[in-house]
Coordinates of all heavy atoms in Angstrom, one line a residue:
S1 N 0.8 -1.2 0.0 CA 0.0 0.0 0.0 C 0.9 1.3 0.0 O 2.1 1.2 0.3 CB -0.9 0.0 1.2 OG -0.2 0.2 2.5
Y2 N 0.3 2.4 -0.4 CA 1.0 3.6 -0.5 C 1.0 4.4 0.7 O -0.1 4.6 1.3 CB 0.4 4.4 -1.7 CG 1.1 5.8 -1.8 CD1 2.3 6.0 -2.4 CD2 0.3 6.9 -1.5 CE1 2.9 7.1 -2.5 CE2 0.9 8.1 -1.6 CZ 2.1 8.3 -2.2 OH 2.6 9.5 -2.2
L3 N 2.2 5.0 1.1 CA 2.2 6.0 2.2 C 2.7 7.4 1.7 O 3.6 7.4 0.9 CB 3.1 5.6 3.3 CG 2.7 4.3 4.1 CD1 3.8 4.0 5.1 CD2 1.4 4.6 4.9
S4 N 1.9 8.4 1.9 CA 2.3 9.7 1.5 C 3.6 10.2 2.2 O 3.7 10.0 3.4 CB 1.1 10.7 1.9 OG 1.6 11.9 1.9
A5 N 4.5 10.9 1.4 CA 5.6 11.3 2.1 C 5.4 12.4 3.0 O 6.0 12.5 4.1 CB 6.5 12.0 0.9
Y6 N 4.2 13.2 2.8 CA 3.9 14.2 3.8 C 3.4 13.6 5.2 O 3.9 13.9 6.2 CB 2.7 14.9 3.1 CG 2.2 16.1 4.1 CD1 2.9 17.3 4.2 CD2 1.0 15.9 4.7 CE1 2.5 18.3 5.1 CE2 0.6 17.0 5.5 CZ 1.2 18.2 5.7 OH 0.8 19.2 6.5
G7 N 2.5 12.7 5.1 CA 2.0 12.1 6.3 C 3.0 11.3 7.0 O 3.2 11.3 8.2
Y8 N 3.8 10.5 6.3 CA 4.8 9.6 6.9 C 6.0 10.5 7.4 O 6.4 10.3 8.6 CB 5.4 8.6 5.8 CG 6.5 7.8 6.4 CD1 6.2 6.7 7.3 CD2 7.8 8.2 6.3 CE1 7.2 6.0 7.8 CE2 8.9 7.4 6.9 CZ 8.5 6.3 7.7 OH 9.5 5.6 8.3
G9 N 6.3 11.5 6.7 CA 7.4 12.3 7.1 C 7.1 13.1 8.5 O 8.0 13.1 9.4
I10 N 5.8 13.6 8.7 CA 5.4 14.3 9.8 C 5.4 13.3 10.9 O 5.8 13.6 12.1 CB 4.2 15.0 9.5 CG1 4.4 16.2 8.6 CG2 3.5 15.4 10.9 CD1 3.1 16.9 8.2
M11 N 4.7 12.2 10.7 CA 4.7 11.2 11.7 C 6.0 10.7 12.3 O 6.3 10.5 13.5 CB 3.9 9.9 11.3 CG 2.4 10.1 11.5 SD 1.6 8.5 11.3 CE 2.3 7.4 12.5
H12 N 7.0 10.6 11.3 CA 8.3 10.1 11.7 C 9.0 11.3 12.5 O 9.7 10.9 13.6 CB 9.1 9.9 10.4 CG 10.5 9.2 10.6 ND1 10.5 8.0 11.0 CD2 11.7 9.8 10.6 CE1 11.9 7.6 11.1 NE2 12.6 8.8 10.9
R13 N 8.8 12.5 12.2 CA 9.4 13.6 13.0 C 8.8 13.7 14.4 O 9.5 13.8 15.3 CB 9.3 14.9 12.3 CG 10.1 15.0 11.1 CD 9.8 16.4 10.4 NE 10.7 16.6 9.2 CZ 10.8 17.6 8.4 NH1 10.0 18.6 8.7 NH2 11.6 17.6 7.4
M14 N 7.4 13.5 14.4 CA 6.8 13.4 15.7 C 7.3 12.3 16.6 O 7.4 12.5 17.8 CB 5.3 13.4 15.5 CG 4.7 14.7 14.9 SD 2.9 14.5 14.4 CE 2.1 14.4 16.0
H15 N 7.4 11.1 16.0 CA 7.9 10.0 16.7 C 9.3 10.2 17.4 O 9.5 9.9 18.5 CB 8.0 8.8 15.8 CG 8.7 7.6 16.4 ND1 8.2 6.9 17.4 CD2 9.9 7.1 16.0 CE1 9.1 5.9 17.7 NE2 10.1 5.9 16.8
H16 N 10.1 10.8 16.6 CA 11.5 11.1 17.1 C 11.4 12.2 18.2 O 12.3 12.3 19.1 CB 12.4 11.4 16.0 CG 12.9 10.2 15.3 ND1 14.0 9.5 15.8 CD2 12.5 9.6 14.2 CE1 14.2 8.4 15.1 NE2 13.3 8.5 14.0
A17 N 10.6 13.2 18.1 CA 10.4 14.3 19.0 C 9.8 13.7 20.3 O 10.1 14.3 21.4 CB 9.6 15.4 18.5
Y18 N 8.9 12.9 20.2 CA 8.1 12.3 21.5 C 8.3 10.9 21.7 O 7.4 10.2 22.3 CB 6.7 12.6 21.2 CG 6.2 14.0 20.9 CD1 5.5 14.3 19.7 CD2 6.6 15.1 21.6 CE1 5.2 15.6 19.5 CE2 6.1 16.4 21.4 CZ 5.5 16.6 20.3 OH 5.1 18.0 20.0
T19 N 9.4 10.3 21.4 CA 9.7 8.9 21.6 C 9.2 8.3 23.0 O 9.6 8.9 24.0 CB 11.2 8.5 21.4 OG1 11.6 9.0 20.1 CG2 11.4 7.0 21.5
D20 N 8.3 7.3 22.9 CA 7.8 6.6 24.1 C 7.2 7.5 25.0 O 7.1 7.2 26.3 CB 8.9 5.8 24.7 CG 9.3 4.6 23.8 OD1 8.5 4.2 23.0 OD2 10.5 4.1 24.0
T21 N 6.5 8.7 24.7 CA 5.7 9.4 25.5 C 4.3 9.2 25.0 O 4.0 8.6 24.0 CB 6.2 10.8 25.5 OG1 5.8 11.5 24.3 CG2 7.6 11.0 25.9
E22 N 3.3 9.9 25.8 CA 1.9 9.8 25.2 C 1.8 10.5 23.9 O 0.8 10.1 23.2 CB 1.1 10.6 26.3 CG 0.9 9.9 27.6 CD -0.1 8.7 27.5 OE1 -0.9 8.7 26.6 OE2 0.0 7.8 28.5
K23 N 2.6 11.4 23.5 CA 2.5 12.2 22.2 C 3.0 11.4 21.1 O 2.9 11.8 19.9 CB 3.1 13.5 22.4 CG 2.4 14.5 23.2 CD 2.9 15.8 23.1 CE 2.2 17.0 23.9 NZ 2.8 18.2 23.6
D24 N 3.8 10.3 21.4 CA 4.4 9.5 20.2 C 3.2 8.8 19.5 O 2.5 8.2 20.0 CB 5.3 8.4 20.9 CG 6.1 7.7 19.8 OD1 5.8 7.7 18.7 OD2 7.0 7.0 20.3
P25 N 3.3 9.2 18.2 CA 2.2 8.6 17.3 C 2.2 7.1 17.2 O 1.1 6.5 16.8 CB 2.3 9.2 16.0 CG 3.8 9.7 15.9 CD 4.2 9.9 17.3
H26 N 3.3 6.4 17.4 CA 3.4 4.9 17.2 C 4.3 4.3 18.3 O 5.1 3.5 17.9 CB 3.6 4.5 15.8 CG 4.8 5.0 15.2 ND1 5.9 4.3 15.2 CD2 5.0 6.1 14.6 CE1 6.8 5.0 14.5 NE2 6.3 6.1 14.1
S27 N 4.1 4.5 19.6 CA 4.8 3.8 20.5 C 3.9 2.7 21.2 O 2.7 3.0 21.6 CB 5.3 4.8 21.6 OG 5.8 4.1 22.7
P28 N 4.3 1.5 21.3 CA 3.6 0.5 21.9 C 3.5 0.6 23.4 O 2.8 0.0 24.2 CB 4.3 -0.8 21.6 CG 5.8 -0.4 21.3 CD 5.6 1.0 20.7
S29 N 4.3 1.5 24.0 CA 4.3 1.7 25.5 C 3.0 2.3 26.1 O 2.8 2.2 27.2 CB 5.5 2.8 25.8 OG 6.7 2.3 25.4
H30 N 2.2 2.9 25.2 CA 1.0 3.6 25.9 C -0.3 3.1 25.2 O -1.3 3.8 25.2 CB 1.2 5.1 25.7 CG 2.3 5.6 26.4 ND1 2.4 5.9 27.7 CD2 3.5 6.0 25.9 CE1 3.5 6.4 28.0 NE2 4.2 6.5 27.0
D31 N -0.3 1.8 24.7 CA -1.5 1.2 24.2 C -1.6 -0.2 24.8 O -0.7 -0.8 25.4 CB -1.3 1.1 22.6 CG -1.4 2.4 22.0 OD1 -2.4 3.1 22.1 OD2 -0.5 2.7 21.2
D32 N -2.9 -0.7 24.8 CA -3.1 -1.9 25.5 C -2.4 -3.1 24.8 O -2.1 -4.1 25.5 CB -4.7 -2.1 25.6 CG -5.4 -1.1 26.4 OD1 -4.6 -0.6 27.4 OD2 -6.6 -0.8 26.2
N33 N -2.4 -3.0 23.5 CA -1.9 -4.1 22.7 C -1.3 -3.6 21.3 O -1.7 -2.4 21.0 CB -2.9 -5.3 22.5 CG -4.2 -4.8 21.9 OD1 -4.1 -4.2 20.7 ND2 -5.2 -4.9 22.5
V34 N -0.7 -4.4 20.6 CA -0.1 -4.0 19.3 C -1.2 -3.6 18.2 O -1.1 -2.6 17.5 CB 0.8 -5.2 18.7 CG1 -0.1 -6.3 18.2 CG2 1.7 -4.6 17.5
F35 N -2.4 -4.2 18.3 CA -3.5 -3.9 17.5 C -4.0 -2.5 17.7 O -4.3 -1.7 16.8 CB -4.6 -4.9 17.4 CG -4.1 -6.3 17.1 CD1 -4.0 -7.2 18.0 CD2 -3.7 -6.5 15.8 CE1 -3.5 -8.4 17.6 CE2 -3.2 -7.9 15.5 CZ -3.1 -8.8 16.4
A36 N -4.1 -2.1 19.1 CA -4.6 -0.8 19.3 C -3.5 0.3 19.0 O -3.9 1.3 18.4 CB -4.8 -0.6 20.9
M37 N -2.3 0.0 19.0 CA -1.2 0.9 18.5 C -1.3 1.1 17.0 O -1.2 2.1 16.6 CB 0.2 0.3 18.9 CG 1.4 1.2 18.5 SD 2.9 0.4 18.3 CE 2.5 -0.7 16.8
M38 N -1.5 -0.1 16.3 CA -1.6 0.0 14.9 C -2.7 0.8 14.4 O -2.6 1.6 13.4 CB -1.5 -1.4 14.2 CG -0.1 -2.1 14.4 SD 0.1 -3.8 13.8 CE -1.5 -4.3 13.2
W39 N -3.8 0.7 15.1 CA -5.0 1.4 14.7 C -4.9 2.9 15.0 O -5.3 3.8 14.3 CB -6.2 0.9 15.5 CG -7.6 1.4 14.9 CD1 -8.3 2.4 15.5 CD2 -8.2 0.9 13.8 NE1 -9.4 2.7 14.7 CE2 -9.5 1.7 13.6 CE3 -8.0 0.0 12.9 CZ2 -10.3 1.6 12.6 CZ3 -9.0 -0.3 11.9 CH2 -10.1 0.6 11.8
K40 N -4.3 3.2 16.1 CA -4.0 4.7 16.5 C -3.0 5.2 15.5 O -3.2 6.3 15.1 CB -3.4 4.7 17.9 CG -3.1 6.1 18.4 CD -2.5 6.2 19.7 CE -1.0 5.9 19.6 NZ -0.3 6.1 20.9
T41 N -2.0 4.5 15.2 CA -1.0 5.0 14.2 C -1.7 5.2 12.8 O -1.5 6.4 12.2 CB 0.1 3.8 13.9 OG1 0.8 3.8 15.1 CG2 1.1 4.4 12.9
K42 N -2.6 4.3 12.3 CA -3.4 4.5 11.1 C -4.2 5.8 11.1 O -4.2 6.6 10.2 CB -4.2 3.4 10.8 CG -5.1 3.5 9.6 CD -6.3 2.5 9.6 CE -7.3 2.9 10.6 NZ -8.3 4.0 10.3
T43 N -4.9 5.9 12.3 CA -5.7 7.1 12.4 C -5.0 8.3 12.5 O -5.3 9.4 11.8 CB -6.6 6.9 13.8 OG1 -7.3 5.7 13.7 CG2 -7.5 8.1 13.9
I44 N -3.9 8.4 13.2 CA -3.1 9.7 13.2 C -2.5 10.0 11.9 O -2.5 11.1 11.4 CB -2.0 9.6 14.3 CG1 -2.6 9.5 15.7 CG2 -1.0 10.7 14.2 CD1 -1.6 9.2 16.8
Y45 N -2.0 8.9 11.2 CA -1.5 9.2 9.9 C -2.6 9.7 8.8 O -2.3 10.7 8.2 CB -1.0 7.8 9.2 CG -0.7 7.9 7.8 CD1 0.4 8.4 7.3 CD2 -1.6 7.3 6.8 CE1 0.7 8.5 5.9 CE2 -1.4 7.4 5.5 CZ -0.3 8.0 5.1 OH 0.0 8.0 3.7
Q46 N -3.8 9.2 8.9 CA -4.8 9.7 8.1 C -5.2 11.1 8.4 O -5.4 11.9 7.5 CB -6.1 8.7 8.1 CG -5.9 7.3 7.4 CD -7.0 6.5 7.7 OE1 -7.8 6.6 8.7 NE2 -7.2 5.5 6.7
D47 N -5.3 11.4 9.7 CA -5.6 12.7 10.1 C -4.6 13.8 9.8 O -4.9 14.9 9.4 CB -5.9 12.7 11.7 CG -7.1 12.1 12.1 OD1 -8.0 11.8 11.2 OD2 -7.3 11.8 13.4
I48 N -3.4 13.4 9.8 CA -2.2 14.3 9.4 C -2.4 14.5 7.9 O -2.3 15.7 7.4 CB -0.8 13.7 9.7 CG1 -0.6 13.7 11.2 CG2 0.3 14.5 9.0 CD1 0.6 13.0 11.6
N49 N -2.6 13.4 7.2 CA -2.6 13.4 5.6 C -3.7 14.2 5.1 O -3.5 14.8 4.0 CB -2.6 12.0 5.1 CG -1.6 11.8 4.0 OD1 -0.7 12.6 3.9 ND2 -1.9 10.9 3.2
T50 N -4.8 14.0 5.7 CA -6.0 14.9 5.4 C -6.1 16.3 6.0 O -7.2 16.9 5.8 CB -7.3 14.1 5.5 OG1 -7.4 13.7 6.9 CG2 -7.3 12.8 4.7
Q51 N -5.1 16.6 6.9 CA -5.1 17.8 7.6 C -6.3 18.0 8.5 O -6.8 19.1 8.7 CB -4.8 19.0 6.6 CG -3.5 18.8 5.8 CD -3.3 19.9 4.9 OE1 -4.2 20.5 4.4 NE2 -2.0 20.1 4.6
R52 N -6.8 17.0 9.2 CA -7.9 17.0 10.1 C -7.5 17.4 11.5 O -8.2 17.7 12.4 CB -8.5 15.7 10.2 CG -9.5 15.5 9.0 CD -10.4 14.1 9.2 NE -9.4 12.9 9.2 CZ -9.7 11.9 8.5 NH1 -10.8 11.8 7.8 NH2 -8.9 10.9 8.5
I53 N -6.1 17.3 11.8 CA -5.5 17.7 13.0 C -4.4 18.8 12.8 O -3.9 18.8 11.7 CB -4.9 16.5 13.8 CG1 -3.8 15.9 13.0 CG2 -6.0 15.6 14.1 CD1 -3.0 14.8 13.9
A54 N -4.3 19.6 13.8 CA -3.2 20.7 13.7 C -1.9 20.1 14.0 O -1.7 19.3 15.0 CB -3.6 21.8 14.6
V55 N -1.0 20.4 13.2 CA 0.5 19.9 13.4 C 1.3 21.1 13.6 O 1.3 22.0 12.9 CB 1.0 19.1 12.2 CG1 2.3 18.6 12.5 CG2 -0.1 17.9 12.0
D56 N 2.2 21.0 14.7 CA 3.1 22.0 14.9 C 4.1 22.2 13.6 O 4.5 21.3 13.0 CB 4.1 21.6 16.1 CG 4.9 22.7 16.7 OD1 5.4 23.6 15.9 OD2 5.1 22.6 17.8
D57 N 4.3 23.6 13.5 CA 5.1 23.9 12.1 C 6.4 23.2 12.1 O 6.9 23.1 11.0 CB 5.2 25.4 12.1 CG 4.0 26.2 11.8 OD1 3.0 25.5 11.3 OD2 3.9 27.4 12.1
R58 N 7.1 23.0 13.3 CA 8.4 22.4 13.3 C 8.4 21.0 12.6 O 9.4 20.5 12.1 CB 9.0 22.3 14.7 CG 8.3 21.4 15.6 CD 8.9 21.5 16.9 NE 8.0 20.8 17.9 CZ 8.5 20.0 18.9 NH1 9.8 19.8 18.9 NH2 7.6 19.3 19.7
F59 N 7.2 20.4 12.6 CA 7.1 19.0 11.9 C 6.8 19.1 10.5 O 7.1 18.1 9.7 CB 6.1 18.2 12.7 CG 6.3 18.0 14.1 CD1 5.5 18.2 15.1 CD2 7.5 17.4 14.5 CE1 5.7 18.0 16.4 CE2 7.8 17.2 15.8 CZ 7.0 17.5 16.8
T60 N 6.3 20.2 9.9 CA 5.9 20.3 8.5 C 7.0 21.0 7.8 O 6.8 20.9 6.5 CB 4.6 21.0 8.5 OG1 4.7 22.4 9.1 CG2 3.5 20.3 9.2
K61 N 7.9 21.6 8.4 CA 8.9 22.4 7.6 C 9.6 21.5 6.6 O 10.2 20.5 6.9 CB 10.0 23.0 8.5 CG 10.9 24.0 7.8 CD 11.8 24.6 8.8 CE 12.8 25.5 8.0 NZ 13.7 26.1 8.8
N62 N 9.6 21.8 5.3 CA 10.3 21.2 4.2 C 9.8 19.8 3.9 O 10.6 19.0 3.3 CB 11.9 21.2 4.4 CG 12.3 22.6 4.4 OD1 12.0 23.5 3.7 ND2 13.3 22.9 5.2
V63 N 8.7 19.5 4.4 CA 8.1 18.1 4.1 C 7.4 18.2 2.8 O 6.5 19.0 2.7 CB 7.2 17.5 5.2 CG1 6.5 16.2 4.9 CG2 8.0 17.4 6.6
P64 N 7.7 17.4 1.8 CA 7.0 17.5 0.5 C 5.5 17.2 0.6 O 5.0 16.3 1.4 CB 7.8 16.5 -0.4 CG 8.4 15.5 0.5 CD 8.7 16.3 1.8
Q65 N 4.8 17.8 -0.1 CA 3.3 17.6 -0.1 C 2.9 17.6 -1.6 O 2.7 18.6 -2.3 CB 2.5 18.6 0.6 CG 1.0 18.2 0.8 CD 0.3 19.1 1.8 OE1 0.7 20.3 2.0 NE2 -0.8 18.7 2.3
W66 N 2.7 16.4 -2.1 CA 2.4 16.1 -3.6 C 0.9 15.7 -3.7 O 0.6 14.5 -3.8 CB 3.4 15.1 -4.2 CG 4.8 15.4 -4.1 CD1 5.4 16.6 -4.2 CD2 5.8 14.6 -3.6 NE1 6.8 16.5 -4.0 CE2 7.0 15.2 -3.6 CE3 5.9 13.1 -3.2 CZ2 8.2 14.7 -3.2 CZ3 7.0 12.7 -2.8 CH2 8.2 13.4 -2.9
K67 N -0.1 16.6 -3.6 CA -1.5 16.3 -3.5 C -1.9 15.5 -4.7 O -2.6 14.5 -4.6 CB -2.2 17.5 -3.3 CG -2.1 18.1 -1.9 CD -3.0 19.3 -1.8 CE -2.8 19.8 -0.3 NZ -3.7 20.9 0.0
A68 N -1.5 15.9 -5.9 CA -1.9 15.1 -7.1 C -1.4 13.8 -7.2 O -2.1 12.8 -7.5 CB -1.5 16.0 -8.4
F69 N -0.1 13.6 -7.0 CA 0.5 12.4 -6.9 C 0.0 11.4 -5.8 O -0.3 10.2 -6.0 CB 2.0 12.4 -6.8 CG 2.7 11.1 -6.7 CD1 2.9 10.4 -8.0 CD2 3.2 10.4 -5.5 CE1 3.6 9.2 -8.0 CE2 3.7 9.2 -5.6 CZ 3.9 8.6 -6.8
D70 N -0.2 12.0 -4.6 CA -0.9 11.3 -3.5 C -2.2 10.7 -3.9 O -2.7 9.5 -3.6 CB -0.9 12.1 -2.3 CG 0.5 12.3 -1.7 OD1 1.5 11.5 -2.0 OD2 0.5 13.2 -0.8
A71 N -3.0 11.7 -4.5 CA -4.4 11.2 -5.0 C -4.4 10.0 -5.9 O -5.1 9.1 -5.8 CB -5.1 12.4 -5.6
F72 N -3.4 10.1 -6.9 CA -3.3 9.1 -7.9 C -2.8 7.8 -7.3 O -3.2 6.7 -7.4 CB -2.4 9.4 -9.1 CG -2.1 8.2 -9.9 CD1 -3.1 7.7 -10.8 CD2 -0.8 7.6 -9.9 CE1 -2.7 6.5 -11.6 CE2 -0.5 6.5 -10.6 CZ -1.5 6.0 -11.5
A73 N -1.7 7.9 -6.5 CA -1.0 6.8 -5.8 C -1.9 6.1 -4.9 O -1.8 4.8 -4.8 CB 0.3 7.2 -5.1
S74 N -2.9 6.6 -4.3 CA -3.7 5.9 -3.3 C -5.1 5.6 -3.9 O -6.0 5.2 -3.3 CB -3.9 6.8 -2.1 OG -4.5 8.0 -2.4
S75 N -5.1 5.8 -5.3 CA -6.4 5.5 -6.0 C -6.6 4.0 -6.4 O -5.5 3.3 -6.4 CB -6.5 6.4 -7.2 OG -5.6 5.9 -8.2
R76 N -7.8 3.6 -6.8 CA -8.0 2.2 -7.2 C -7.2 2.0 -8.6 O -6.7 1.0 -8.9 CB -9.3 2.0 -7.4 CG -10.1 1.7 -6.1 CD -11.4 1.1 -6.3 NE -12.0 0.8 -5.0 CZ -13.0 1.5 -4.3 NH1 -13.6 2.5 -5.0 NH2 -13.5 1.2 -3.2
W77 N -7.1 3.1 -9.4 CA -6.5 3.0 -10.7 C -5.0 2.6 -10.5 O -4.5 1.8 -11.3 CB -6.8 4.2 -11.5 CG -8.1 4.4 -11.9 CD1 -9.0 5.3 -11.6 CD2 -8.8 3.6 -12.9 NE1 -10.2 5.1 -12.2 CE2 -10.1 4.1 -13.0 CE3 -8.5 2.4 -13.6 CZ2 -11.1 3.5 -13.9 CZ3 -9.5 1.8 -14.5 CH2 -10.8 2.4 -14.5
S78 N -4.4 3.3 -9.6 CA -3.0 3.0 -9.4 C -2.8 1.5 -8.9 O -1.8 0.9 -9.4 CB -2.5 3.9 -8.2 OG -1.2 3.6 -7.8
R79 N -3.7 1.1 -8.1 CA -3.6 -0.4 -7.6 C -3.7 -1.4 -8.7 O -3.0 -2.3 -8.9 CB -4.5 -0.6 -6.4 CG -4.2 0.1 -5.3 CD -5.1 -0.1 -4.1 NE -4.7 0.7 -2.9 CZ -5.3 1.6 -2.4 NH1 -6.6 2.0 -2.8 NH2 -4.9 2.2 -1.3
V80 N -4.7 -1.1 -9.6 CA -5.0 -1.9 -10.8 C -3.7 -1.9 -11.7 O -3.3 -2.9 -12.2 CB -6.3 -1.5 -11.5 CG1 -6.4 -2.1 -12.9 CG2 -7.5 -1.7 -10.6
L81 N -3.2 -0.7 -12.0 CA -2.1 -0.6 -12.7 C -0.9 -1.4 -12.2 O -0.3 -2.2 -13.0 CB -1.6 0.9 -12.8 CG -0.4 1.2 -13.7 CD1 -0.6 0.8 -15.2 CD2 0.0 2.6 -13.5
W82 N -0.6 -1.3 -10.9 CA 0.5 -2.0 -10.4 C 0.3 -3.5 -10.4 O 1.2 -4.4 -10.6 CB 0.9 -1.6 -8.9 CG 1.6 -0.4 -8.8 CD1 1.2 0.9 -8.4 CD2 3.0 -0.1 -9.2 NE1 2.2 1.7 -8.6 CE2 3.3 1.2 -9.0 CE3 3.9 -1.1 -9.9 CZ2 4.5 1.7 -9.4 CZ3 5.1 -0.5 -10.2 CH2 5.4 0.8 -9.9
I83 N -1.0 -4.0 -10.2 CA -1.3 -5.4 -10.3 C -1.0 -5.8 -11.7 O -0.5 -7.0 -11.9 CB -2.7 -5.7 -9.8 CG1 -2.8 -5.4 -8.3 CG2 -3.2 -7.1 -10.2 CD1 -4.3 -5.4 -7.7
G84 N -1.5 -5.1 -12.7 CA -1.3 -5.5 -14.0 C 0.1 -5.6 -14.4 O 0.6 -6.5 -15.1
L85 N 0.9 -4.5 -14.0 CA 2.4 -4.7 -14.3 C 3.0 -5.8 -13.6 O 4.0 -6.4 -14.2 CB 3.1 -3.3 -13.8 CG 2.6 -2.1 -14.6 CD1 3.2 -0.8 -14.0 CD2 3.2 -2.3 -16.0
Y86 N 2.7 -6.1 -12.4 CA 3.2 -7.2 -11.7 C 2.9 -8.5 -12.4 O 3.7 -9.4 -12.6 CB 2.6 -7.3 -10.2 CG 3.2 -8.5 -9.4 CD1 4.4 -8.4 -8.8 CD2 2.5 -9.7 -9.3 CE1 4.9 -9.5 -8.1 CE2 3.1 -10.7 -8.7 CZ 4.2 -10.6 -8.1 OH 4.8 -11.7 -7.4
I87 N 1.7 -8.8 -12.8 CA 1.3 -9.8 -13.6 C 2.1 -10.0 -14.9 O 2.5 -11.1 -15.3 CB -0.3 -10.0 -13.8 CG1 -0.9 -10.2 -12.4 CG2 -0.7 -11.1 -14.8 CD1 -2.4 -9.9 -12.6
L88 N 2.2 -8.9 -15.7 CA 2.9 -8.8 -16.9 C 4.4 -9.2 -16.7 O 4.9 -10.1 -17.4 CB 2.8 -7.5 -17.5 CG 3.5 -7.3 -18.9 CD1 2.9 -8.1 -19.8 CD2 3.5 -5.8 -19.2
F89 N 5.0 -8.6 -15.7 CA 6.4 -9.0 -15.3 C 6.5 -10.5 -14.9 O 7.4 -11.1 -15.5 CB 6.9 -8.2 -14.1 CG 8.3 -8.5 -13.7 CD1 9.3 -7.8 -14.4 CD2 8.6 -9.4 -12.8 CE1 10.6 -8.0 -14.0 CE2 9.9 -9.7 -12.4 CZ 10.9 -9.0 -13.0
F90 N 5.6 -11.0 -14.2 CA 5.6 -12.5 -13.9 C 5.5 -13.3 -15.2 O 6.3 -14.2 -15.3 CB 4.5 -12.7 -12.9 CG 4.4 -14.1 -12.4 CD1 5.3 -14.5 -11.2 CD2 3.7 -15.1 -13.0 CE1 5.3 -15.8 -10.8 CE2 3.8 -16.4 -12.4 CZ 4.6 -16.7 -11.5
A91 N 4.6 -13.0 -16.0 CA 4.3 -13.8 -17.2 C 5.5 -13.8 -18.1 O 5.8 -14.7 -18.7 CB 3.1 -13.2 -17.8
L92 N 6.2 -12.6 -18.2 CA 7.2 -12.4 -19.1 C 8.6 -13.1 -18.6 O 9.4 -13.6 -19.4 CB 7.5 -11.0 -19.5 CG 6.4 -10.2 -20.4 CD1 6.6 -8.8 -20.5 CD2 6.2 -11.0 -21.7
F93 N 8.8 -12.8 -17.4 CA 10.2 -13.2 -16.9 C 10.2 -14.4 -16.0 O 11.2 -15.2 -16.0 CB 10.8 -12.0 -16.1 CG 11.0 -10.9 -17.0 CD1 10.2 -9.8 -17.0 CD2 12.0 -10.9 -18.0 CE1 10.4 -8.6 -17.8 CE2 12.2 -9.8 -18.8 CZ 11.4 -8.7 -18.8
V94 N 9.3 -14.7 -15.2 CA 9.3 -15.8 -14.1 C 9.0 -17.1 -14.9 O 9.5 -18.1 -14.5 CB 8.4 -15.4 -13.0 CG1 8.4 -16.6 -12.1 CG2 8.8 -14.1 -12.3
T95 N 8.1 -17.1 -15.8 CA 7.7 -18.4 -16.5 C 8.7 -18.7 -17.5 O 8.4 -19.8 -18.1 CB 6.2 -18.3 -16.9 OG1 6.1 -17.2 -17.9 CG2 5.3 -17.9 -15.8
A96 N 9.5 -17.9 -17.9 CA 10.4 -18.2 -19.1 C 11.4 -19.3 -18.7 O 11.9 -19.5 -17.8 CB 11.2 -16.9 -19.5

């Protein structure tokens, strides 16, 4: 699956700034289990990516935001294209 450079970059910076504290976006130290941590991480990533939450400017400085590319890369068409290319590669090279 595709991760936006914008959302991932900000989460990564937040993780290093807040390692293993309540503000760490993906620390297992403050969740009941690994699944709760993964769900929280997914939610925070989506909220950052769609700008549903306010993020401190120090985390967004110089982080690329490619809205058109992100929209295509996370679309169904992109997934169908990659599946098709994978099958084509497999048929041409692996079965030879």
Side-chain angles (χ1 to χ4, degrees):
S1 67
Y2 172 75
L3 290 177
S4 162
Y6 180 77
Y8 178 81
I10 290 172
M11 272 192 57
H12 188 75
R13 289 177 177 185
M14 290 172 72
H15 168 67
H16 282 275
Y18 302 127
T19 303
D20 291 334
T21 67
E22 290 283 342
K23 291 184 174 184
D24 187 343
H26 56 92
S27 171
S29 301
H30 299 282
D31 291 302
D32 295 334
N33 57 58
V34 70
F35 300 108
M37 179 205 66
M38 290 180 350
W39 192 263
K40 181 179 84 175
T41 300
K42 174 202 76 78
T43 303
I44 293 170
Y45 167 79
Q46 289 175 334
D47 288 347
I48 290 170
N49 223 24
T50 57
Q51 299 177 335
R52 285 187 292 230
I53 61 172
V55 177
D56 192 325
D57 289 340
R58 68 186 169 136
F59 299 125
T60 61
K61 184 178 182 181
N62 298 324
V63 177
Q65 192 171 20
W66 306 313
K67 289 184 180 187
F69 181 79
D70 288 345
F72 170 74
S74 60
S75 71
R76 286 193 174 109
W77 290 112
S78 172
R79 292 182 179 117
V80 168
L81 176 66
W82 280 112
I83 290 168
L85 289 171
Y86 182 84
I87 291 169
L88 180 64
F89 181 86
F90 185 86
L92 292 175
F93 296 106
V94 178
T95 59

